[in-house]
Structures are given as structure tokens and as C-alpha cells.
Amino acid sequence: MSIPYQAHSPSVRSLFRNRIVQSILLSGLLLQMGIWIRNFAILLFVTEQTNKDPVAIAMISVAEFAPIFVFSFIGGTFADRWRPKRTMMICDLLSALSIFVVLLALVYGGWEAIFFATLVSSVLSQFSQPSGMKLFKLHVPESLMGMGMSMYQTMMSVFMVFGPILGTLIYFRFGIQVAIAIMGICFLLSAAALTLLPPDRNERKGGPSSSVNVSREMKLGIKYVTSKKIFMYMGAFFLAGGMGLGLISPLGIFLVTEQLGLSAESLQWFTSLNGIGMILGGILAMGLSKHVPPQKLLLIGFIANALAVSVLGTVPVLGIALAAQFLSGLMVPFIHIACNTLILNQAEEAYVGRVNGILNPLFMGGMVLNMSFVGVIKEYLPLGAIYLAASGIFLAGVLAVLPLLKMKLEHRVHAVGPHHHH
């Protein structure tokens, strides 16, 4: 039984046996550890250092999210030009290096350098994440794609539950210097995990295309996305998803204290329940992705999320609110996995990075935009009205998904190892 046949009988075993999937998941696991320890240890450290200065605390979020917005498309363009394995390894090594520079600065007393660590590793991840998707596209058979993506998403969901606990624990037990050293080691180990991947294919190098300027490739990327109806619809629901999430994610604390009359500490249980929903949703989506096309998963995800959010904002009964919160978490992987699978299946290999780099900032931009306004809106509107508005935005996302159900989606023949003639 040679590789081509495996494509027809996708199973979790053949996925785990795939060396590419093993390496990408191991590298992702180590990166997630580093990132969550970074996020929480730095947040707690800055909170202590500045005596809860809201501006300093907000600056951490800016250092974390702004690069996604600014560098996602640039990173995606370069990921299309560069060799993916090498790109990811260099990014991990540079992240580790920046972290050890910050550690030195901390030892000698300049704590503000901590912002630099967040900024640099967030910028670098904009180059390495699209390269990871490109590796999936190059080496994983299409029949295993949805399942592989689901596994990756499930792992990220697990960290949404345990990441904050891990970061908080390490910071309070060992202090910021040890936390930063552990981050650096995680990035180095992630680079080491990538050495297990087969070497990058040496294609299109040294030919005329390597001298083509980046701005032209960016323009080609924009042209490619705007010329394909599917990506235009995807742009619409990426924006809707981001805007809906941006409205509600900063309001969790008010939902718990005002609407449900609980203490602020109860928020962590709410967040954990959402994360547990995500883990189960990832496992469920992994099973369904073999039988259900991604556009249907997307539709289920958006409709159920709209329902959950409208219930959360309007029903002040704890049991019902918890059930809605769980449902909302359960549906997040459906949306994420379906979006990634659609990009990987529908984008030509040469454009995967750029398609990702154009669609992701739409989601992030919508989210950051509404996050920044929601504090002001909250003073004028009751909580329920804001949640209903978010639910309406998710329903608008459903309208953008509907045309995909009618479209004949292309099934790109997959470049699995040696069968690729380019």
C-alpha cells in the first residue's frame, strides 16, 4: 500500500503517522507554550511594575495584535516566496534570540524591554504561521487536511484553557526571568522540531522570479483574491466574525458581574468553560470534517454562535448562560477549521501565504476596531443590546456563507511528495 492510496482512506492513524504533521504539531505545541507563558507572565509583570497602569497594560495588547494587522500580508507574501521550513526555523531562532536579549536587559534593570519581546515574536509569527500552512498544503494529502487542521485547532484550544494557568503559575512560582528563559527555550525547541521535516523543495529559485519585486507580488496577491468570488465571500465573513467577537470579548466581565450578579473572579470559570467547549468542538469538527464539507461546518458554526450570543446577552439565568457560553466555545473550531480548510483547498499553492495574509487582517481588524469602540458604546447601550448587535453581525456572516453552498468549489490536486510536477 503506497502513499497514493492512503489519500482515499483518511484515518487518525495515517494522520499521526505523517511525519510532516508530527513535526508541525510538535513545533506548534512548543510555540503555544512559549506564547502563552509570554502573554501571561508579561501581563502580570507589567501590571505589578506599573501598579496596574491601564495604558501600560493596553500597550501589551497593542504589541501583541498590531503586528498581526500590519505584517500579516507582508509575511504571507514572503511565505509564498521563501522556503517554508527554513522560514519557520529562522523565525523561531530570531524569536529565541530576541527573548534572550530581553532577559539580559531585565538582569540589568531595564524592564520596559519586555514590550520588545512581545512585539518581535508577534511580528515573526506573521512570517512563520503562513509558512506552516504552506507546509500543510505541500505535504499533507487533501483527504487528511481537515483532520490535520482540526488537530492543530484543538491543540490551540487546549492552550486557551491551560495557557493562562501555566503562564500565571510559572510567573508567581519562579518570577519573570525564569519565565522569559523558558519562553526562549520553547522557541529553540520548536526550531529543533522543524529539523525533522523533509528539506524544502528547491523550486523557482535563481530564476527570473526571484528578482521580481515584493510590491508586484503583493499586487498579484490582491488581484488573485479579488478575482475569485470565493475569497470575496470569505473576506465578508472573516470581517463579520471579527467584528462580532470584538464586540463581546471585552464584555465578559460585565456579563458575569452585572447580568448574572456574580463576583469578578467567576469570569475565569466562564472563560474555562468556553475553552472546554473549544476543545470538544475541535474533536467534534475533526470527526465531522471527513464527512461534512467545510462550507456546511461554517454555516453551522455561524448560526449556532449567533444563537448563543443572543441568549448570553438577554437571559439572566446562570444555567442557561453557561450552556450558551459552552455552545459558543464549541462552535469556534467549526468556523476556524472550515476557514483554514477552504483557504488550503481553494488557493493555489503559490498564493496560500498571500490569501491568508489578506483574509486574516480582515478578521483581526474587525475585532480590534470593535474592541476599541465597545467601552464607549457600553456607556450608552445596555449590555443585552450590544450582545444582540453582535448576534446580528454573526447572522450577516451567515449571508456571506450561503453563496458558498451553491458554488462549485474546485478540488485542487494535492502536491503530496513526489507526485508534484511543476
Side-chain angles (χ1 to χ4, degrees):
M1 175 162 148
S2 61
I3 284 180
Y5 291 106
Q6 243 177 357
H8 302 299
S9 55
S11 71
V12 178
R13 244 179 65 208
S14 54
L15 189 69
F16 273 119
R17 278 225 214 84
N18 186 314
R19 209 172 85 197
I20 313 286
V21 176
Q22 286 171 0
S23 304
I24 294 175
L25 289 178
L26 179 59
S27 156
L29 181 78
L30 291 157
L31 278 183
Q32 286 290 313
M33 259 170 84
I35 287 166
W36 278 100
I37 294 170
R38 176 194 81 194
N39 291 354
F40 267 76
I42 288 177
L43 177 69
L44 296 164
F45 177 71
V46 171
T47 306
E48 275 186 8
Q49 288 288 326
T50 62
N51 202 5
K52 297 189 182 150
D53 174 13
V55 176
I57 291 166
M59 284 312 291
I60 305 172
S61 294
V62 171
E64 229 173 280
F65 288 114
I68 298 176
F69 201 62
V70 179
F71 286 97
S72 180
F73 183 41
I74 302 170
T77 305
F78 278 106
D80 284 337
R81 287 170 69 98
W82 293 341
R83 300 180 200 171
K85 175 184 173 181
R86 196 169 64 177
T87 304
M88 288 174 80
M89 287 178 73
I90 290 171
C91 288
D92 286 351
L93 292 171
L94 287 174
S95 281
L97 183 70
S98 72
I99 290 214
F100 292 125
V101 168
V102 171
L103 188 56
L104 277 175
L106 278 180
V107 172
Y108 294 107
W111 72 267
E112 290 83 357
I114 202 96
F115 290 105
F116 172 75
T118 304
L119 190 67
V120 171
S121 67
S122 186
V123 169
L124 288 166
S125 68
Q126 297 319 302
F127 290 85
S128 99
Q129 191 253 342
S131 296
M133 279 188 81
K134 200 169 163 79
L135 280 173
F136 250 96
K137 173 92 183 167
L138 278 169
H139 299 291
V140 179
E142 188 164 330
S143 54
L144 296 177
M145 190 83 79
M147 224 192 298
M149 276 289 146
S150 312
M151 263 157 87
Y152 200 75
Q153 178 65 39
T154 307
M155 180 175 73
M156 289 172 89
S157 310
V158 169
F159 273 98
M160 286 192 76
V161 182
F162 298 111
I165 299 168
L166 188 68
T168 308
L169 191 76
I170 287 174
Y171 176 70
F172 284 122
R173 182 68 59 86
F174 303 108
I176 190 69
Q177 293 182 4
V178 173
I180 285 197
I182 293 173
M183 276 180 246
I185 291 164
C186 284
F187 287 125
L188 285 177
L189 289 174
S190 167
L194 293 169
T195 58
L196 304 171
L197 290 171
D200 284 319
R201 283 212 309 272
N202 200 351
E203 56 176 37
R204 297 191 311 148
K205 294 287 167 269
S209 70
S210 57
S211 61
V212 172
N213 61 5
V214 174
S215 67
R216 182 162 166 259
E217 294 208 357
M218 287 182 154
K219 282 182 196 139
L220 282 173
I222 293 172
K223 207 169 141 195
Y224 179 75
V225 169
T226 49
S227 70
K228 290 204 172 293
K229 265 195 182 147
I230 176 162
F231 296 135
M232 298 302 284
Y233 289 126
M234 286 183 77
F237 59 70
F238 265 60
L239 188 63
M243 286 175 78
L245 264 179
L247 271 187
I248 54 174
S249 56
L251 295 179
I253 187 87
F254 300 106
L255 183 81
V256 169
T257 53
E258 290 177 12
Q259 175 105 322
L260 298 169
L262 302 166
S263 67
E265 274 88 79
S266 310
L267 179 65
Q268 61 179 329
W269 304 115
F270 243 67
T271 311
S272 293
L273 186 67
N274 197 287
I276 291 163
M278 281 184 180
I279 295 171
L280 293 173
I283 294 166
L284 192 61
M286 203 190 311
L288 288 173
S289 68
K290 286 195 284 187
H291 315 290
V292 182
Q295 53 277 40
K296 280 201 179 141
L297 283 182
L298 208 51
L299 197 64
I300 297 167
F302 267 110
I303 291 173
N305 225 339
L307 178 73
V309 168
S310 62
V311 169
L312 266 176
T314 51
V315 182
V317 180
L318 180 62
I320 295 174
L322 288 171
Q325 175 77 341
F326 177 74
L327 177 66
S328 169
L330 194 71
M331 287 302 124
V332 169
F334 278 54
I335 295 173
H336 268 278
I337 289 160
C339 286
N340 279 340
T341 307
L342 278 170
I343 291 176
L344 285 174
N345 283 346
Q346 300 303 310
E348 287 166 37
E349 184 195 306
Y351 287 98
V352 169
R354 279 166 286 181
V355 172
N356 199 34
I358 289 170
L359 294 178
N360 263 342
L362 284 173
F363 179 82
M364 273 298 159
M367 189 160 113
V368 173
L369 182 78
N370 277 358
M371 272 178 164
S372 45
F373 286 134
V374 75
V376 182
I377 299 170
K378 170 81 179 69
E379 288 175 15
Y380 298 101
L381 286 177
L383 198 64
I386 302 175
Y387 269 78
L388 285 173
S391 176
I393 295 173
F394 282 124
L395 285 175
V398 172
L399 296 178
V401 178
L402 288 174
L404 297 193
L405 297 174
K406 294 197 197 81
M407 282 171 82
K408 283 293 293 165
L409 297 186
E410 299 165 49
H411 273 285
R412 301 204 169 277
V413 178
H414 230 65
V416 184
H419 312 297
H420 192 63
H421 309 292
H422 205 41

